[in-house]
Amino acid sequence: MHRQPSRYLTQILDKTAAVVGRKGGASARFTITDGKNTSTSGTVAIKGKKFFASTPEAKVWYDGKTQWSYMKSTNEVNVSHPTQSQQMSMNPYTFINIYKTGYTMTDKKTGTSHEIHLVAQNQKRTVQELYITVSAQYHPTKIRMRQGKNWTTITISNFLAKNQPDATFRFPSKDFPTAEVIDLR
């Protein structure tokens, strides 16, 4: 680890946030592994604060306010207004912008990528520490975050800056006519 001027690291993350958060949206494949080595893979589409994630077990739509989580095993859809940490567990754009809100940064360059280590200045933050690996094209390729003593790793591949229609981020109830809807709002 070496200390780059935080302005330099902020510029890297600003460029990454601009690529990930482009107005038209983006998509990628991901694998999430938790501290117990349980993992799941899927796809994600993002557009600003909106996202849609799909795995073999579940699908999650978030339109910027309301989240619909469909669990295949139970054929249930939970409708909620997620907290910041709940949003962060699904939307890479949320991770990419966290550096703007009270974290100290250090950098380790590996090949053409940067691994930026962020540590919360306030230890009461939900995410106390994270590593964001950014490619030379300013695509996030790996995010490791610590909540309490538990680490979660999100590996991102096949990142495409591609326009996403708004309908992608709303639950298509007609496609799940037998699902039980549970409103938790």
Side-chain angles (χ1 to χ4, degrees), residues 11-21 96 132 134-135 138-140:
Q11 287 173 346
I12 292 170
L13 292 175
D14 283 347
K15 288 178 183 176
T16 304
V19 169
V20 173
I96 296 303
I132 301 173
V134 177
S135 74
Y138 302 104
H139 297 167

Side-chain angles (χ1 to χ4, degrees), residues 5 20 44 50 58 84 99 104 125 135 180:
V20 173
V44 64
K50 301 173 187 177
Q84 183 186 32
Y99 69 96
T104 56
R125 294 290 299 258
S135 74
E180 180 184 352

Side-chain angles (χ1 to χ4, degrees), residues 6 10 19 67 69 109:
S6 64
T10 300
V19 169
Q67 178 173 296
S69 302
K109 193 144 169 60

Side-chain angles (χ1 to χ4, degrees), residues 9-135:
L9 299 179
T10 300
Q11 287 173 346
I12 292 170
L13 292 175
D14 283 347
K15 288 178 183 176
T16 304
V19 169
V20 173
R22 65 183 284 280
K23 191 174 182 178
S27 64
R29 293 200 53 72
F30 68 87
T31 300
I32 298 176
T33 307
D34 65 17
K36 300 170 196 85
N37 286 324
T38 305
S39 74
T40 189
S41 296
T43 57
V44 64
I46 53 178
K47 185 176 184 180
K49 292 182 179 180
K50 301 173 187 177
F51 68 86
F52 168 67
S54 178
T55 70
E57 304 84 20
K59 295 183 183 306
V60 179
W61 298 261
Y62 179 66
D63 67 3
K65 180 182 177 190
T66 303
Q67 178 173 296
W68 297 267
S69 302
Y70 173 73
M71 298 303 295
K72 187 176 181 180
S73 62
T74 59
N75 197 32
E76 292 176 347
V77 178
N78 290 321
V79 185
S80 65
H81 292 149
T83 65
Q84 183 186 32
S85 73
Q86 289 167 331
Q87 289 175 48
M88 290 177 73
S89 68
M90 293 303 291
N91 185 350
Y93 186 62
T94 310
F95 288 107
I96 296 303
N97 280 306
I98 197 170
Y99 69 96
K100 297 176 182 177
T101 58
Y103 286 81
T104 56
M105 294 185 270
T106 53
D107 174 54
K108 182 170 93 178
K109 193 144 169 60
T110 43
T112 59
S113 296
H114 285 273
E115 181 182 79
I116 301 173
H117 181 206
L118 291 88
V119 178
Q121 293 165 349
N122 177 350
Q123 287 302 303
K124 292 184 177 159
R125 294 290 299 258
T126 305
V127 176
Q128 294 137 0
E129 183 177 8
L130 65 130
Y131 292 87
I132 301 173
T133 305
V134 177
S135 74

